[in-house]
Amino acid sequence: MNTPKISVLLSCFNHAHHIKRLIPSILNQTFQDFEFIIINDGSVDNSPDIINKFSLQDSRIVPVHQENIGLTKSLNKGIRLARGDYIARIDADDVSYEQRLEKQYNFLEQNRNIVLVG
């Protein structure tokens, strides 16, 4: 298995309404060399179903379903799972422009003294 350049990290809890728009905004990025770690932090809405549906359609999605442990612990778990050179965080109610990852990756590659972009 190839190591992705970027690990996109999302933790969500009961954000079914938002992740229906968020997930495609990551999958349709112009930069394609990424994994998408989606941590379902014990959602009781239909978030798990949405995540599973998308993960069956795109192998870059790494679904993680767990009991609710909170955002910070979930993100730390995601960081431990991440295989990419860079980690791109996204919140459950965000949507990314299609060139987000490409622009951020290129900027970081060209500016090795920078460690964080937003």
Side-chain angles (χ1 to χ4, degrees):
M1 181 180 280
N2 292 337
T3 302
K5 296 291 183 192
I6 299 173
S7 295
V8 179
L9 178 55
L10 164 69
S11 176
C12 66
F13 175 72
N14 291 340
H15 281 95
H17 175 73
H18 296 293
I19 63 172
K20 286 187 238 180
R21 290 188 2 209
L22 176 153
I23 293 173
S25 81
I26 295 298
L27 298 179
N28 295 324
Q29 291 289 303
T30 56
F31 187 93
Q32 294 284 305
D33 189 4
F34 65 86
E35 66 179 348
F36 190 6
I37 301 168
I38 304 176
I39 299 178
N40 166 39
D41 190 27
S43 297
V44 294
D45 63 1
N46 66 334
S47 293
D49 296 332
I50 294 166
I51 294 165
N52 288 338
K53 176 185 163 209
F54 278 106
S55 70
L56 291 172
Q57 298 169 3
D58 197 308
S59 63
R60 295 173 297 177
I61 295 177
V62 179
V64 178
H65 299 283
Q66 65 187 23
E67 303 252 338
N68 184 272
I69 60 172
L71 180 62
T72 302
K73 288 180 181 178
S74 293
L75 293 176
N76 284 332
K77 182 176 186 175
I79 289 168
R80 288 190 298 275
L81 293 171
R83 298 179 304 118
D85 295 331
Y86 299 106
I87 295 175
R89 267 280 292 123
I90 189 162
D91 287 318
D93 59 351
D94 290 343
V95 174
S96 288
Y97 290 115
E98 66 183 17
Q99 291 183 329
R100 172 199 172 183
L101 296 180
E102 179 181 4
K103 288 180 177 184
Q104 290 176 335
Y105 177 81
N106 289 338
F107 180 83
L108 288 169
E109 286 291 298
Q110 295 167 8
N111 298 277
R112 293 295 187 145
N113 59 323
I114 305 291
V115 296
L116 181 70
V117 295

